[in-house]
Amino acid sequence: QVQLVESGGGAVQAGGSLRLSCAASGDTFSNYRMGWFRQAPGKEREGVATIYNGGRSTFYGDSVKGRFTISQDNAENTLYLQMNSLKPEDTAMYYCAAGGSRHLLSLRASRYDYWGQGTQVTVSS
């Protein structure tokens, strides 16, 4: 099992940047496919980005491609999401998740087993 704790959320104006962190404990971090998801009120949970193959491969949702960057530090057991050029529609609770095959990409929430408690990101226009 792995425990996940997100941090780094906050309020920012459109065009600004934030970096989210997700500290992992428990099992070996690099054994898992990792992902960032977000959920806005009244909407379904959306896959934002995933990193797999021990951190060598990444994949992004269309809505964030070119603006967000997912990365991980295996030595520190920490997952990151650098968010640039933020838009009001990026406002949501952001969750990190772990699970599934470390060799396969997925942005489907059902393919992940472990979740953090979330960190709120609010982007004002």
Side-chain angles (χ1 to χ4, degrees):
Q1 288 193 350
V2 62
Q3 293 77 45
L4 304 170
V5 179
E6 302 96 334
S7 61
V12 64
Q13 289 190 331
S17 298
L18 282 174
R19 188 175 82 154
L20 305 184
S21 299
C22 174
S25 61
D27 202 349
T28 305
F29 181 74
S30 58
N31 285 344
Y32 294 88
R33 173 181 60 210
M34 303 295 296
W36 284 100
F37 293 77
R38 66 186 183 186
Q39 189 166 19
K43 294 188 176 182
E44 292 187 355
R45 191 163 294 191
E46 174 191 8
V48 173
T50 182
I51 187 166
Y52 56 107
N53 279 334
R56 294 187 297 276
S57 304
T58 59
F59 186 80
Y60 298 89
D62 289 341
S63 61
V64 306
K65 202 171 295 183
R67 300 187 298 122
F68 289 12
T69 302
I70 188 172
S71 62
Q72 67 183 56
D73 184 330
N74 291 337
E76 295 294 328
N77 270 14
T78 303
L79 179 72
Y80 299 100
L81 184 69
Q82 178 66 44
M83 306 186 294
N84 298 329
S85 302
L86 283 162
K87 304 175 181 179
E89 50 263 45
D90 294 319
T91 296
M93 185 72 78
Y94 282 71
Y95 301 89
C96 72
S101 171
R102 64 189 293 269
H103 300 297
L104 300 177
L105 75 87
S106 178
L107 283 179
R108 295 177 63 178
S110 60
R111 300 293 175 88
Y112 289 77
D113 304 303
Y114 306 104
W115 293 83
Q117 82 290 348
T119 186
Q120 178 68 38
V121 171
T122 303
V123 185
S124 59
S125 57

